[in-house]
Amino acid sequence: MLSNIRIVLINTFHPGNVGAIARAMKNMGLTNLYLVDPNDYPSEEATSRAAGAVDLLENATIVSTLEEAISDCSLVIGTSARHRTFQLPIMNARECAQTVIPESKEHDVAIVFGRETTGLLNEEIAQCHRQVYIDANDEYPVLNISQAVQIVAYEIWMANQDQTTYDKTVAEYPRKKDMDLFYEHLEDTLYGINFIVRNHPGKVLDKLHRFFNRSRPEKQELGILRGVLAAVQREAGLTDANNHPEKKAKKTPEQE
Amino acid sequence: MLSNIRIVLINTFHPGNVGAIARAMKNMGLTNLYLVDPNDYPSEEATSRAAGAVDLLENATIVSTLEEAISDCSLVIGTSARHRTFQLPIMNARECAQTVIPESKEHDVAIVFGRETTGLLNEEIAQCHRQVYIDANDEYPVLNISQAVQIVAYEIWMANQDQTTYDKTVAEYPRKKDMDLFYEHLEDTLYGINFIVRNHPGKVLDKLHRFFNRSRPEKQELGILRGVLAAVQREAGLTDANNHPEKKAKKTPEQE
């Protein structure tokens, strides 16, 4: 079950941290490590710090974009300091583990850690459904990344030992890439009905994106929402749902 | 209160670990570090790994025996792998924190960590009142010492927070009656665009209702969603948003 939980590290700078994280993960029964465009890797220092967890490094999946690391996940959780302007539902590490354990019975779950110095970018947080922070001293709250992974992994281990978390029933959620198709469909439709003006998109799309990521439609609900969009397009005369609205805007009168 | 809790490290070998431990402690509000006969210390590597917690290194108490580090403490807890021949009452890190917090109100408490490779000697364990272990994967249970301190310190921080209620910032949510108006608007629109057939509504409305109730749009988000519905109605020729679709369905051709 814990094999459905992956730790995703973005642009790690110090290879020693990657090694320490592999060890921290294995200590807590996690095996699934994704590295997005790591600096200076593979490296001897990573191997040395990994100690008995070199197998995790050897089996790590190395990709070049966050997208590749999470596209088949139904739940993506970004780590962050407590306060972000881009607000998603936020949990502490303990609550995060209690959410992740039942979900990982059936689905792949990613927990994403940002760069050592700057954390996750807003556009990366925007790809997440939830945020997790680690309770810490307000006067010095920023943990070393390997320590942060250790605590998140430890809480997952603890929650997994706690049988009460097993009983939660979990809805079936769409994969990240299905949500992306929905967002495309939504955007096309909103342009098509002139709700958004192409040169002046403002922040409406971001806000809708945030709303739907936060609310996590279930698989069936997403199907209904897609159906609504298709019906809107049909009624508004945007018959070809795959037609990009820009093309429609350029239609000549003869085509109408 | 947390200043009555000290972390005692015996014969650390890697100075980098001491630095990482200082940081891990400060992250969790602990300030009181004792080093028993450390190897290669002070060192640049310790300072570098301590990051913003160099003050803890500067204020660390360096002694030559364990006895000196713990003699004024009322409670001494030794860290260990779960099974030791020398049996003391044993707790996991969470239980340890719950024991330490009330005790530290009045007394000094020490948590003692052994050497990186060999841990605590039996004669050192014999000076402790309790043992603490960290729940971990049986197949690979030995954590790096800085990670072990991080988890113990984190559990202390969590236990200390327990009574505190956080001022979570709360978004502005619409009133129930505003949600009801949204649902009416949604229903009208879905009939209007023939997404729902009046004699055959099925469970789609219920499901959408459930989805939006669960996702709790904020006030501003609800405004955007209402705007989307109004745009759909306009584009689909349902110009009067207040017109119930049933009335529209009954329109005579002349009215059109």
Side-chain angles (χ1 to χ4, degrees):
Chain A
M1 191 163 83
L2 295 183
S3 61
N4 286 346
I5 302 171
R6 69 186 65 169
I7 299 294
V8 179
L9 308 178
I10 300 184
N11 293 165
T12 45
F13 185 77
H14 295 292
N17 281 334
V18 178
I21 286 167
R23 180 172 176 178
M25 288 173 62
K26 189 168 175 178
N27 283 149
M28 298 300 155
L30 296 178
T31 53
N32 210 345
L33 175 62
Y34 279 67
L35 303 174
V36 179
D37 191 21
N39 178 44
D40 187 16
Y41 187 87
S43 95
E44 266 182 37
E45 204 192 334
T47 306
S48 150
R49 293 276 295 277
V54 174
D55 54 324
L56 261 77
L57 293 184
E58 286 166 356
N59 295 323
T61 306
I62 302 180
V63 294
S64 51
T65 64
L66 173 61
E67 183 65 29
E68 294 166 82
I70 61 175
S71 65
D72 55 342
C73 291
S74 69
L75 176 60
V76 180
I77 301 175
T79 52
S80 104
R82 196 176 300 188
H83 305 294
R84 299 288 291 218
T85 45
F86 188 94
Q87 288 288 347
L88 282 176
I90 192 157
M91 309 175 280
N92 69 17
R94 192 158 296 169
E95 295 159 341
C96 170
Q98 284 154 1
T99 301
V100 161
I101 288 297
E103 181 105 12
S104 66
K105 278 191 216 171
E106 306 268 342
H107 302 290
D108 287 318
V109 176
I111 304 176
V112 184
F113 292 79
R115 297 146 197 83
E116 283 99 328
T117 44
T118 54
L120 292 172
L121 306 174
N122 279 340
E123 56 261 39
E124 290 160 350
I125 288 276
Q127 295 194 56
C128 300
H129 303 102
R130 296 285 183 270
Q131 283 182 84
V132 57
Y133 68 91
I134 291 169
D135 288 280
N137 179 5
D138 283 339
E139 287 168 24
Y140 187 55
V142 180
L143 278 68
N144 166 279
I145 188 173
S146 77
Q147 306 283 19
V149 173
Q150 181 72 72
I151 287 177
V152 168
Y154 164 73
E155 286 286 12
I156 286 170
W157 179 263
M158 292 297 278
N160 192 40
Q161 305 296 105
D162 179 359
Q163 292 300 321
T164 59
T165 53
Y166 282 91
D167 298 333
K168 287 186 188 170
T169 46
V170 174
E172 212 179 340
Y173 289 110
R175 292 165 304 178
K176 166 81 166 58
K177 54 188 166 192
D178 298 319
M179 280 304 290
D180 288 343
L181 289 172
F182 165 71
Y183 288 125
E184 270 177 42
H185 197 172
L186 177 67
E187 191 175 333
D188 280 1
T189 307
L190 294 183
Y191 283 123
I193 65 172
N194 301 307
F195 180 65
I196 297 171
V197 182
R198 199 157 272 287
N199 296 332
H200 228 296
K203 293 187 172 173
V204 164
L205 279 177
D206 288 346
K207 284 176 179 167
L208 285 170
H209 200 281
R210 171 179 170 256
F211 167 70
F212 283 107
N213 255 4
R214 198 189 69 223
S215 52
R216 288 195 78 200
E218 294 168 10
K219 209 167 175 178
Q220 192 191 33
E221 290 168 344
L222 193 71
I224 294 173
L225 294 171
R226 290 290 298 265
V228 170
L229 293 177
V232 168
Q233 290 181 315
R234 192 179 59 236
E235 289 292 315
L238 313 160
T239 40
D240 180 1
N242 296 320
N243 224 357
H244 198 277
E246 248 172 359
K247 289 181 199 155
K248 181 178 183 290
K250 285 177 193 158
K251 269 183 188 170
T252 60
E254 299 93 283
Q255 284 178 302
E256 288 295 341
Chain B
M1 193 162 85
L2 295 185
S3 62
N4 286 345
I5 302 171
R6 71 187 63 171
I7 299 294
V8 179
L9 309 178
I10 299 183
N11 293 165
T12 46
F13 184 78
H14 294 293
N17 281 334
V18 179
I21 286 167
R23 179 172 178 178
M25 287 173 61
K26 188 169 178 176
N27 284 148
M28 297 301 155
L30 296 178
T31 53
N32 210 345
L33 175 61
Y34 280 66
L35 302 173
V36 179
D37 189 22
N39 177 47
D40 187 16
Y41 188 85
S43 96
E44 264 183 38
E45 205 192 334
T47 307
S48 147
R49 293 275 294 280
V54 175
D55 54 325
L56 261 77
L57 293 184
E58 286 166 355
N59 295 322
T61 306
I62 302 182
V63 293
S64 50
T65 65
L66 173 59
E67 182 62 29
E68 295 166 79
I70 61 175
S71 62
D72 55 342
C73 293
S74 68
L75 176 62
V76 180
I77 301 174
T79 52
S80 103
R82 197 176 299 192
H83 306 295
R84 298 288 289 218
T85 46
F86 187 93
Q87 289 287 347
L88 282 176
I90 192 157
M91 310 174 283
N92 70 15
R94 192 159 295 170
E95 295 158 342
C96 170
Q98 285 154 1
T99 302
V100 161
I101 287 298
E103 182 103 11
S104 67
K105 279 188 207 172
E106 308 270 340
H107 303 289
D108 287 320
V109 176
I111 304 175
V112 184
F113 291 80
R115 297 147 197 83
E116 283 99 329
T117 43
T118 54
L120 291 173
L121 306 174
N122 280 341
E123 55 263 39
E124 290 160 350
I125 289 274
Q127 296 192 58
C128 301
H129 304 101
R130 297 282 183 274
Q131 283 183 82
V132 57
Y133 68 91
I134 292 168
D135 288 279
N137 180 3
D138 283 339
E139 287 170 25
Y140 187 56
V142 180
L143 279 68
N144 168 278
I145 187 172
S146 77
Q147 306 282 20
V149 173
Q150 180 73 72
I151 287 176
V152 168
Y154 164 74
E155 286 287 12
I156 286 171
W157 178 263
M158 291 297 279
N160 192 40
Q161 298 299 304
D162 225 312
Q163 296 306 318
T164 325
T165 42
Y166 289 102
D167 289 351
K168 284 188 185 167
T169 45
V170 175
E172 211 180 341
Y173 289 109
R175 291 165 304 179
K176 165 80 167 59
K177 56 187 169 189
D178 297 319
M179 280 306 288
D180 288 344
L181 288 173
F182 165 71
Y183 288 127
E184 269 178 42
H185 197 172
L186 177 67
E187 191 175 332
D188 280 1
T189 307
L190 295 184
Y191 282 125
I193 64 172
N194 302 307
F195 180 66
I196 298 170
V197 181
R198 199 156 272 286
N199 296 332
H200 229 298
K203 293 188 174 171
V204 163
L205 279 177
D206 289 347
K207 283 175 180 166
L208 285 169
H209 201 282
R210 171 176 171 261
F211 166 69
F212 283 107
N213 258 0
R214 198 188 68 226
S215 53
R216 288 196 77 198
E218 293 168 12
K219 210 167 172 179
Q220 191 192 33
E221 290 167 345
L222 194 70
I224 294 173
L225 294 171
R226 291 291 296 268
V228 170
L229 293 177
V232 169
Q233 291 181 316
R234 193 180 56 235
E235 289 292 314
L238 313 159
T239 40
D240 182 1
N242 295 320
N243 223 356
H244 197 278
E246 246 171 2
K247 292 180 197 155
K248 183 176 183 294
K250 285 176 193 157
K251 270 181 186 169
T252 59
E254 299 93 286
Q255 283 179 302
E256 288 294 341

